[in-house]
Amino acid sequence: MGPTDQSEALHRRARAFIEASLLAGGAAPPGEGRAAAILPPHLPRAAQGERAALPEAFDELAVALARHQAAQCAPVARLFKARGADAAAMERADQIPAVPCDVFRFARVASHPPEADERVFRTSGTSLGAASRGEHPFRTTATYELAALSWGERLLWPDGARLRVIVLAPPLDEVPDSSLGFMIDRFAARLSGPASWHVRGGELDAGGFARACAEARAAGEPAIVLGTSFAFVHLLEAALPGGATLLPPASRVMQTGGYKGRSREVPADELRAAISRSLGVPPAHIVGEYGMTELSSQLYEGTLAAALGWPGSTAPGLYLAPPWTRVTAVDPETLAPLPAGEIGLARIVDLANVDSAVAIQTADRVRVTGEGVELLGRASGAPPRGCSIAIDQMLGGGGP
């Protein structure tokens, strides 16, 4: 079996795991918290007293992905060699060396050649300049789409509501390499109702946004507003025409990213309260999203699911990972896992990352418990020592 056939077989296994874990309704691997228990009533569930069987163990699939990546991706192979990690002998996901996010800026992290790319997602480059944008190549986006849509539905529209889509982000045709733009585009297609985008050419269209809200109110149809926290801050700083932007009942908001406005930083709780006041959406209906270009899966706050009465949800500020991912806090120096509740850097194993790196090491500070993942911001200054060493190892000893 050639590399492409191997990749396709692994994608099928990953998608089978995702689908089965959703049907399991709580049959997530041990230590994954409560997220898998949130199964909306309009989605199929295993019969009473039963649990849908997972096709294989989380660790088994994670190790299979790691072996494929180490065999087909030179930077991953160098990291394994430098760490003395024998892919053939691995049995657990926590044995897989994690690839730091910064590596995606300096090396191609892919198990397939560039000519096989279906799509390449790129980081924004806002902090280090466009020349330092990270790239995440995809041979196929089928597994990414399944993961994004499945968890988005679970945490953003678990009630199966028919929603209008109002977007505070550029449309995909303007940003074809944006993973957020791609995800929102797929959300709009899945929800299949009226959809509008209100950031074009780098400019916020506050008037168009207000009109879209008014149209939703006139139709009596709830809406989902999807956007970056940055765009929400600018919206709230704008003089909205007529000041009438209240959304219909049952509307909800997804926000993602940082909280900087034109001239100030806006604390997350302050922004949530301001969005609630301006749009007429209950605070619990405002859901934070955590994702990154280097991953294929996303985490969400469980606030909306909790408000709608589904079990297993969490308080604001705690994010739920899908059952096909594992988030662990690790020591910044050694990258060794820390006990539950201790603060460390987020290491994420994502089974939907089939053709790049199944284990990703971030510089985001987190506290992980059985209730969820608490985000505490990025580590300040230079890359943490553990990440810096790993970057050097992947680049063959000649770090950036």
Side-chain angles (χ1 to χ4, degrees), residues 28 31 59 64 147 222 230 252 258 272 298 327 337:
D59 291 273
F230 181 83
R252 69 276 326 251
R272 183 188 298 268
Q298 300 78 34
V327 184

Side-chain angles (χ1 to χ4, degrees), residues 48-116:
Q48 185 68 28
E50 297 181 4
R51 283 188 175 181
L54 295 175
E56 58 187 310
F58 183 103
D59 291 273
E60 180 183 358
L61 180 52
V63 167
L65 294 173
R67 289 171 180 161
H68 172 71
Q69 292 159 3
Q72 302 299 329
C73 180
V76 173
R78 285 195 291 269
L79 178 62
F80 277 48
K81 182 177 180 181
R83 295 289 178 85
D86 182 359
M90 287 180 183
E91 297 181 346
R92 304 187 315 275
D94 61 9
Q95 296 173 313
I96 302 170
V99 173
C101 290
D102 278 348
V103 169
F104 287 76
R105 295 194 288 119
F106 302 110
R108 178 179 169 88
V109 183
S111 303
H112 59 278
E115 57 268 24

Side-chain angles (χ1 to χ4, degrees), residues 129-376:
S132 295
R133 297 177 70 189
E135 296 190 346
H136 189 178
F138 284 78
R139 188 188 64 79
T140 173
T141 59
T143 305
Y144 180 103
E145 290 186 47
L146 176 64
L149 285 167
S150 298
W151 205 235
E153 180 172 20
R154 186 75 67 93
L155 276 304
L156 295 175
W157 60 95
D159 49 352
R162 183 182 186 277
L163 300 168
R164 289 175 172 248
V165 176
I166 303 174
V167 184
L168 285 173
L172 187 60
D173 59 2
E174 283 194 10
V175 287
D177 57 359
S178 165
S179 58
L180 177 63
F182 183 83
M183 183 182 77
I184 290 176
D185 184 81
R186 295 306 185 264
F187 283 179
R190 171 64 63 86
L191 289 165
S192 69
S196 58
W197 279 256
H198 302 284
V199 175
R200 292 183 179 272
E203 297 293 328
L204 171 68
D205 178 14
F209 175 83
R211 287 190 296 274
C213 293
E215 289 169 2
R217 291 198 311 275
E221 296 176 351
I224 181 168
V225 181
L226 305 161
T228 63
S229 301
F230 181 83
F232 280 107
V233 171
H234 282 260
L235 178 71
L236 296 171
E237 291 176 343
L240 293 171
T245 56
L246 295 182
L247 290 166
S251 294
R252 69 276 326 251
V253 169
M254 184 206 83
Q255 59 166 328
T256 184
Y259 304 96
K260 179 177 283 189
R262 289 186 176 87
S263 59
R264 62 191 178 96
E265 294 273 352
V266 181
D269 55 350
E270 181 181 322
L271 180 59
R272 183 188 298 268
I275 292 172
S276 176
R277 288 193 304 270
S278 297
L279 302 186
V281 175
H285 285 218
I286 300 170
V287 180
E289 183 259 7
Y290 172 80
M292 59 182 63
T293 302
E294 299 84 0
L295 293 173
S296 298
S297 301
Q298 300 78 34
L299 282 68
Y300 294 95
E301 289 178 308
T303 52
L304 176 64
L308 295 174
W310 313 141
S313 300
T314 59
L318 291 177
Y319 287 72
L320 301 179
W324 53 90
T325 70
R326 283 184 183 171
V327 184
T328 307
V330 300
D331 184 275
E333 295 283 327
T334 66
L335 303 185
L338 297 171
E342 290 196 14
I343 296 174
L345 302 181
R347 166 194 161 96
I348 304 174
V349 178
D350 182 358
L351 297 184
N353 260 12
V354 174
D355 291 313
S356 52
V358 65
I360 295 293
Q361 182 59 59
T362 80
D364 294 329
R365 298 169 62 249
V366 295
R367 179 186 288 109
V368 182
T369 69
E371 298 299 309
V373 179
E374 183 182 358
L375 303 181
L376 302 171

